[in-house]
Amino acid sequence: MTVYPAKQHFAATVGHLGADSGVILVHGSETLMHPDSDTEYEFHQNSNFYYLSGVAEPGFAAAYDISTRTAILFVPHVSADEAVWTGVPPSLDEYRAAHGFDAAHYTKDIDAVVGALKPSVVYTLPENASACAAFSLAPVEKLRLAVHEARVYKDDCEIEIMRRANQISSAAHVTLMHEAREGMNEAELRGRFVGLALAQGCSYEAYGSIVARGRNAAVLHYTKNNMKLDNSSDVVLVDAGGTYGNYASDITRTWPVGPRFTDNARAIYAIVLDMQKAVIDACAPHKQWEDMHALAQRVAAEGLLRLGVLTGDLESILAHHVVGYFMPHGIGHLIGIDTHDVGGYPPGTERINKPGLRYLRARREMLPRMVFTVEPGLYFVDAILAEAQATPTVAQHIDFDVVKRYHSVGGVRIEDNIVITDSGNDNLTSKCPKEIADVEALRSGAYNA
Amino acid sequence: MTVYPAKQHFAATVGHLGADSGVILVHGSETLMHPDSDTEYEFHQNSNFYYLSGVAEPGFAAAYDISTRTAILFVPHVSADEAVWTGVPPSLDEYRAAHGFDAAHYTKDIDAVVGALKPSVVYTLPENASACAAFSLAPVEKLRLAVHEARVYKDDCEIEIMRRANQISSAAHVTLMHEAREGMNEAELRGRFVGLALAQGCSYEAYGSIVARGRNAAVLHYTKNNMKLDNSSDVVLVDAGGTYGNYASDITRTWPVGPRFTDNARAIYAIVLDMQKAVIDACAPHKQWEDMHALAQRVAAEGLLRLGVLTGDLESILAHHVVGYFMPHGIGHLIGIDTHDVGGYPPGTERINKPGLRYLRARREMLPRMVFTVEPGLYFVDAILAEAQATPTVAQHIDFDVVKRYHSVGGVRIEDNIVITDSGNDNLTSKCPKEIADVEALRSGAYNA
């Protein structure tokens, strides 16, 4: 079994912290109860703590002595009475070895063990400040930013975990495309997806799945997932990914309820696919993420001009951010332990307050070992179209009669997860079909089974 | 569509509160974020608030003017910007009508609307006290105990919701019995269960599912659910239920990995089935819940005496709580909005500190409209057997050589959900097979498919 490189993650964090002494001390999440109830919230480990410990259980802590490079794991003690209910836990040394630490103690001894290191300063996270009150603390934002920056660059172990998360989630998407039929409910598809992800070892959905048929896909954060696939002309947008080994996957596929796309749906889908492939082809070290967003907008504008949805001069369309009214979200985001992973806006980088761009979740130079989602989409959202119609510089470039023709498509999004490599990128989602012929072959298969 | 009887629940609560004036004001749960992340915890509504409102969304509140019997719903306002992402919400009046309230306002107006009622006193819950600080509050335990007592008695609407929760969960158990084969992983079974529950409209697992094969069933709170079904002689204990319409189901079935029980597993299973059927036959109005526990212990003692696991005099075995070392938990608990529902120990009732009994989750007279789980089990837990061996009054009644013969069975539990009726009880879980012949027919079918 590969040991999760927690100790290396402490070292990487120290690199961004720029310190040569002191101790890092971080606490994991505790079990959280629902109010006035003995029911627990499903346990999710604090993401920063997972990165520094590889521990997915509640009640742990971890320390790292910067000058001696010693990593110390703190384990909650399980009483004999509790062990009757939960089973006999591993020993301290078994925990230490399993997580690649240099030493292990019980959490009741944190203050004594860390105190004995006589740290000049203790670095901790904002969410752990009160638990570390016994020590002289550095400003808590220091460690937070250093861990965030370290988490931006995935090592081989992390990439392999994310590859597996994507394999499991891709296979579940394929099963949905292969099994869904007109008359099913969105809830059945979401249930099938979650069931397959859990069955293959995922801990939970990486985020609230979206299964949106027809016009529901125009509700960008659609979470009801409870309507019937009652029209074979509709498309279904499925945005779902499992968390495996505490790393997220985030995949979207859009496919017809019937065996084939309608001509209108195919036309929109083809543009989104062009946008996505253009961006993935362009993703490479030293390029800027916001330029990927601009590239997707340009490809979209060209496609929507061909359809007649947009009219006029391409450069004027781009200058007036017209595409932002059809793709109101960003082209993608960093992904890792969190679905929307940390580090998208390094200190000093600001958001751009323009349609489509204000929701861009990252602005930075792409570098090897960053993992991004690439998720262009085109939507026909009534409220946004009304805003476009009321904005003359935008409305001049939109043919609202042609828009009506595509309105029932609702929305189309295609989303993959890619790792930036030395020469370009590696698509972790490559096994999840998105070419029109492949999607239609799967959908036809659903009706010929 | 049936309207959830929230207003009647306010009235029932007032009955237990014994007040004829004042205002009840309660707040629902808010969305909860993971620390240093934009990921939400899966939303679960506060159980007391759900009972009084029927609202399963975050950010709501509800008030009830006791003297005028007026129920007022408070709805969070959704801005036009937010509606672009989440869809256009229902109007105030649509919310009011959907939940059967007399009036609806936005939450920003709570203090003004409740203040205008000039309440002599405001009753709220401990978890809402700070949100109601603008008013003169009654001691918060008063409303809490009144809501708890009201929640103990389920009305027809609640019983029908629980019947559906049990139907969905029972069908998922049947699918597992029909599909599981040697070589599968516990995670596959848990994933299949959750997927089926969600597909049929459940919101989430009512509690962390337990899928425990072989000796894992002797870990009473086994939650890893990640081992292979690698021995056809093992049994699998599956304790899983979905929450439907905010009401829990809680069902356990135990069945062989292979097509048939081994003789040893069948012997233990038969005793547990006898225990369960004896208790269900006995459950009726005006009987005491702790007597059901005692009945299960007596049937267990008789069965274990026949097997030779226990020796000596039956009454001495019962007097020394010997069965508590094989069934360390209580016979069952109230169930409703919460899996372990409120009201099990009315004020003034204490727990009994004896093996097996100290974990009994209810001590009260059974009355019509109470819903209980009936969940006897027998387990061979090493730590508990060691304690028994070290306790002479207990050890004298156990033949530890015979225990060894049954040790590999791990544990068996059978759990149904029953409603106390005027004349006896109604088993909500009756469609989930538990007779040995029915279980073996399903399991054989899995290998002959």
Side-chain angles (χ1 to χ4, degrees), chain A residues 320-332:
Chain A
H320 290 104
H321 301 283
V322 178
V323 175
Y325 292 79
F326 297 90
M327 183 173 99
H329 59 70
I331 183 65

Side-chain angles (χ1 to χ4, degrees), chain B residues 177 235 253-256 258-274 277 412 414 432-444:
Chain B
M177 288 188 229
V235 293
R253 289 293 182 267
T254 308
W255 36 266
R260 300 174 63 80
F261 287 104
T262 63
D263 289 345
N264 286 343
R266 186 181 290 109
I268 301 299
Y269 187 92
I271 297 174
V272 176
L273 187 59
D274 283 347
K277 288 158 77 171
V412 170
I414 307 172
C432 196
K434 62 187 178 189
E435 296 294 335
I436 290 173
D438 296 334
V439 170
E440 290 190 336
L442 276 163
R443 295 302 302 133
S444 298

Side-chain angles (χ1 to χ4, degrees), chain A residues 67-86:
Chain A
S67 61
T68 62
R69 298 176 192 174
T70 306
I72 307 166
L73 186 64
F74 294 102
V75 177
H77 185 261
V78 176
S79 70
D81 272 6
E82 291 170 295
V84 167
W85 298 86
T86 58

Side-chain angles (χ1 to χ4, degrees), chain B residues 54 70 83 101 110 116 136 148 162 194 209 233 237 239 244 259 295 299 305 336 361 372 423 425 438 447:
Chain B
T70 307
F101 276 64
I110 291 175
S136 166
H148 283 196
M162 295 188 75
V194 174
S209 299
S233 301
L237 185 157
D239 184 347
Y244 177 84
L295 173 60
V299 175
L305 273 168
R361 291 184 183 274
F372 284 97
S423 56
N425 70 78
D438 296 334
Y447 288 95

Side-chain angles (χ1 to χ4, degrees), chain B residues 23 76 161 213 215 235 246 249 253 266 280 304 348 375 377:
Chain B
V23 167
I161 296 169
R213 66 99 175 99
R215 288 289 305 160
V235 293
N246 284 63
S249 63
R253 289 293 182 267
R266 186 181 290 109
I280 293 180
L304 292 171
E375 49 174 313

